[in-house]
Amino acid sequence: MPAADYPTTSSERDAWVVRRRGPRHPGDPSQPHAFLRETEPDGREGVADVWTLFLTNKECPWRCVMCDLWKATLPESLPLGEIPRQIEAGLGRLGMPPKPSDRGQGGGQRWIKVYNSGSFFDPAAIPVADHPAIALQVRGFDRLIVECHPRLVGDRVMRFLETLRTASHPAPPPRLEVAMGLETVHPETLERLNKRMTVQDFQRAARLLREADIDLRVFLLVRPPFLPASIAAEWLRRGMETAFDAGAGVVSIIPTRLGNGSLEELARAREFEEPRIADLEQGLEFGLGLRRGRVFADLWDLARFSRCPRCLPQRRQRLEAMNLRQQLRPSVECDTCGEGGG
């Protein structure tokens, strides 16, 4: 496929992306499609215990060329009450959440991430009428983390913040944190991703969150399509600096992965190549060196980015340790590939 075959308008790109998709995974509207317990440094020299739920709901309205989250979504909106039932089911499987009266009684922070393969503040995905029930379900946690497209950050976010306060009264509400995908700050690449946003859109949304005293988490892609490998590392560094300039407390760097149909097509056109584990290591090292906030490397399916099975376990352990401790660790030296991290 010649690179010129990638459309130039958003509507044509939407159709181009959808034509290259495979099947969705069957979703149960009464259950989150995944859930897990994890730990995360809390930014205060402690470690938070995190309940993470991945909800099943209607697909995001955007058709980003790099996205594969649509695989676990539904083609239609859910009836009222289904999202709170999913949260209840997921928390039941993970171990019930803390009681509101337990907060502030010592011990580590308890956080909940409610991710939904799109935007929490998209009413077609999470009905606004379900917000009060959700607020009651999360009031025992110290922090609630949700995800949202920058263009949906506005009055609906502020009304939900007030709903959290009402549900938790007289105790303080969970600290609200919104995760946004900035992806890259390279203007032409961001436009071609079909995310239908600009860096200025992100900065506007970040400013609204900051003014409302809502925390910000930012997702950035490692080696997005359309960005030449020779400058990808520099633009990832610029992305981290832009995120922190906008007030982010957390930056998560995510390797761009094949698997959604569109990226395979772009790879054939030499418009995309998956990153190597060294790209992820170098990005995390730079981010931690900034010492401006927490920086995490996404380690899911890490083996696909490694070309050397001998040093992969040690490199994984190093990245895990840096994620958890937020400190640089000694490099891994590998006689087999000569590419050890650090």
Side-chain angles (χ1 to χ4, degrees):
M1 181 199 78
D5 283 0
Y6 183 68
T8 58
T9 69
S10 293
S11 59
E12 291 173 332
R13 288 171 180 171
D14 287 353
W16 189 93
V17 167
V18 171
R19 282 199 304 272
R20 285 157 178 79
R21 288 181 173 182
R24 297 176 194 265
H25 304 314
D28 181 348
S30 69
Q31 300 287 327
H33 67 85
F35 42 83
L36 63 128
R37 287 278 288 272
E38 54 187 338
T39 57
E40 184 175 306
D42 63 10
R44 302 187 301 181
E45 300 186 354
V47 176
D49 187 11
V50 186
W51 284 251
T52 301
L53 306 178
F54 299 91
L55 302 182
T56 303
N57 56 195
K58 181 176 172 61
E59 180 187 350
C60 173
W62 286 275
R63 304 289 180 266
C64 301
V65 74
M66 71 290 182
C67 182
D68 62 359
L69 298 177
W70 52 267
K71 293 180 180 180
T73 63
L74 301 171
E76 68 282 330
S77 297
L78 292 176
L80 292 179
E82 286 294 346
I83 294 298
R85 276 190 280 274
Q86 286 189 37
I87 294 173
E88 181 180 12
L91 292 177
R93 296 286 295 274
L94 290 174
M96 292 308 292
K99 298 177 182 178
S101 58
D102 292 339
R103 291 180 56 198
Q105 301 300 312
Q109 291 272 301
R110 279 86 56 102
W111 296 356
I112 181 168
K113 294 178 181 176
V114 179
Y115 286 172
N116 66 300
S117 302
S119 295
F120 184 89
F121 299 104
D122 173 7
I126 309 291
V128 174
D130 278 335
H131 284 184
I134 295 170
L136 287 171
Q137 289 175 305
V138 303
R139 60 183 178 159
F141 290 96
D142 297 290
R143 178 176 294 264
L144 167 64
I145 305 164
V146 300
E147 54 190 346
C148 190
H149 190 286
R151 286 177 56 185
L152 293 179
V153 172
D155 290 344
R156 201 172 291 123
V157 182
M158 308 310 157
R159 290 195 294 269
F160 180 70
L161 180 60
E162 186 57 37
T163 299
L164 280 177
R165 290 169 176 160
T166 300
S168 298
H169 185 77
R175 180 81 182 173
L176 181 60
E177 180 175 324
V178 174
M180 297 196 296
L182 173 56
E183 320 304 357
T184 180
V185 294
H186 187 275
E188 293 81 8
T189 299
L190 180 57
E191 190 275 331
R192 297 188 78 191
L193 292 181
N194 203 37
K195 196 176 175 78
R196 304 198 190 194
M197 59 163 274
T198 64
V199 174
Q200 291 71 35
D201 291 328
F202 163 80
Q203 292 169 328
R204 176 205 63 84
R207 183 177 65 254
L208 290 176
L209 296 176
R210 189 168 62 250
E211 290 172 351
D213 196 27
I214 297 171
D215 290 334
L216 171 63
R217 178 176 299 234
V218 174
F219 300 130
L220 290 167
L221 294 175
V222 179
R223 294 281 295 271
F226 309 119
L227 190 62
S230 60
I231 61 173
E234 170 63 23
W235 282 96
L236 177 61
R237 293 193 290 267
R238 292 191 191 188
M240 285 189 266
E241 291 169 337
T242 299
F244 286 126
D245 286 345
V250 175
V251 171
S252 181
I253 58 174
I254 302 173
T256 313
R257 301 172 173 88
L258 292 166
N260 71 348
S262 294
L263 289 181
E264 280 77 2
E265 192 83 359
L266 293 175
R268 285 190 286 271
R270 299 185 179 180
E271 290 274 21
F272 173 66
E273 181 181 355
E274 281 193 328
R276 299 176 301 153
I277 191 171
D279 298 313
L280 191 63
E281 291 168 331
Q282 291 163 14
L284 181 59
E285 290 160 6
F286 175 82
L288 293 179
L290 289 175
R291 302 185 68 83
R292 297 185 63 185
R294 285 162 288 154
V295 182
F296 303 122
D298 178 17
L299 305 185
W300 178 74
D301 203 16
L302 186 66
R304 72 182 297 155
F305 307 112
S306 172
R307 299 175 183 176
C308 179
R310 180 174 180 181
C311 65
L312 174 61
Q314 291 79 20
R315 295 172 82 173
R316 181 192 300 275
Q317 290 171 5
R318 177 175 182 260
L319 288 168
E320 288 173 344
M322 290 197 295
N323 274 348
L324 185 60
R325 299 173 187 170
Q326 292 294 287
Q327 296 176 350
L328 294 173
R329 302 291 295 167
S331 62
V332 174
E333 304 297 334
C334 181
D335 295 334
T336 301
C337 69
E339 196 191 64

